[in-house]
Amino acid sequence: MAGRGLSSIFERICGEMWSVTPYALCDHRCVYCITGVQGVSDPIMAADDARDATFRFVRSAPSDSLYLLGAFSDAYPNVEAETGLTRAVLEELVAADARVTIITKGTTVLRDVDLLVLGGDRVQVQVSLCTLDEDV
């Protein structure tokens, strides 16, 4: 795993909007991607460390903060099914009653339906699709 600090999965976008990026790279390789993080997904830390970092960060941030999972790297890359890193972060965000938007192309988001329902209207999922095929 990359040697980034525990709180570095949180990066301010603007105001109280935070990007939460638990994976250093994204394996979807979208042709339009401008983030420069394409490659085989690499967890930044272990799930327990991410859970702890999220717990500490959210409790010190303003209560009206918005957390974006997948703003710079897909929230549910293929390796998420094995590591559970995004789930660990999402568990803490939901427990803190935080506002969360998840952006993904990954189907592993379906594994976390229990947390999405528990988060109610404070948690939104946006599915990112890229196609020129109108039937899709």
Side-chain angles (χ1 to χ4, degrees):
M1 282 181 252
R4 293 172 57 173
L6 287 180
S7 65
S8 66
I9 63 172
F10 295 91
E11 294 180 38
R12 184 186 304 270
I13 295 175
C14 66
E16 294 307 325
M17 184 183 300
W18 300 90
S19 169
V20 186
T21 309
Y23 292 94
L25 297 172
C26 179
D27 51 16
H28 290 296
R29 292 186 168 89
C30 302
V31 296
Y32 55 84
C33 183
I34 60 167
T35 65
V37 295
Q38 294 181 347
V40 177
S41 298
D42 181 24
I44 291 174
M45 62 185 66
D48 287 340
D49 292 335
R51 185 177 290 109
D52 182 56
T54 303
F55 176 85
R56 288 184 287 118
F57 188 90
V58 170
R59 276 148 185 84
S60 68
S63 61
D64 64 338
S65 293
L66 172 63
Y67 300 92
L68 302 175
L69 284 145
F72 298 128
S73 176
D74 195 288
Y76 286 89
N78 294 329
V79 72
E80 170 61 19
E82 299 167 30
T83 65
L85 193 51
T86 297
R87 182 174 176 90
V89 169
L90 184 58
E91 285 173 339
E92 289 301 322
L93 291 171
V94 168
D97 203 26
R99 292 184 311 136
V100 180
T101 297
I102 298 168
I103 305 135
T104 188
K105 285 178 174 47
T107 57
T108 307
V109 68
L110 297 172
R111 174 203 62 200
D112 295 343
V113 166
D114 60 323
L115 294 173
L116 304 176
V117 170
L118 188 61
D121 63 355
R122 296 189 59 79
V123 177
Q124 298 178 355
V125 176
Q126 298 176 357
V127 178
S128 174
L129 300 175
C130 179
T131 183
L132 296 175
D133 183 346
E134 290 185 25
D135 293 333
V136 173

